[in-house]
Amino acid sequence: QVQLVESGGGLVQAGDSLRLSCLASGRTFSSTAMGWFRQAPGKEREFVAAISWSGGNSNYAGAVKGRFTISRDNAKNTVYLQMNSLKPEDTAVYYCAAGPAMSWVAPDTFNSWGQGTQVTVSS
């Protein structure tokens, strides 16, 4: 229904910053919540951040709170994840997600996913 394409991943050093972008296409609605998840090798996919349809509310995992910032530009159908003070433990494939309006506070309800973009943080 909705196609999500992530970009912006790469190899950086600890302490560096990176901004991920996710372009949504297909059937999209202003009421759609957006989010970011990540998955490291051998680990379960974990929630990173989410934002409400209006961009007025956001939700962050404790591991990234204070370092990452999620934002969206509905006119561009794009969601961003600004990642600062990156740590080696942030290394993972990062996935963009879309879901119902309340997904921002209920990350388990996200139901559309991008292909992912690799983020590698070296020490």
Side-chain angles (χ1 to χ4, degrees), residues 1 9 34 38 57 82 99:
Q1 184 172 338
M34 301 293 293
R38 66 187 182 186
N57 296 288
Q82 178 66 47

Side-chain angles (χ1 to χ4, degrees), residues 45-88:
R45 182 183 62 193
E46 67 175 348
F47 168 73
V48 175
I51 190 167
S52 62
W53 65 270
S54 68
N57 296 288
S58 59
N59 185 20
Y60 297 92
V64 306
K65 198 167 188 176
R67 297 188 298 120
F68 291 9
T69 302
I70 188 171
S71 61
R72 67 189 296 167
D73 185 339
N74 287 346
K76 296 180 179 292
N77 290 123
T78 302
V79 63
Y80 306 94
L81 184 67
Q82 178 66 47
M83 305 183 293
N84 297 328
S85 301
L86 282 162
K87 305 174 180 180

Side-chain angles (χ1 to χ4, degrees), residues 3-9 20-23 33-51 68 70 79-81 83 90-99 107 110-119:
Q3 292 78 50
L4 305 171
V5 180
E6 305 93 335
S7 62
L20 305 183
S21 297
C22 173
L23 176 64
M34 301 293 293
W36 289 94
F37 290 72
R38 66 187 182 186
Q39 186 170 26
K43 298 185 64 179
E44 293 287 307
R45 182 183 62 193
E46 67 175 348
F47 168 73
V48 175
I51 190 167
F68 291 9
I70 188 171
V79 63
Y80 306 94
L81 184 67
M83 305 183 293
D90 294 319
T91 296
V93 175
Y94 283 70
Y95 298 92
C96 180
F110 279 105
N111 52 25
S112 296
W113 307 90
Q115 291 297 111
T117 184
Q118 177 71 48
V119 172

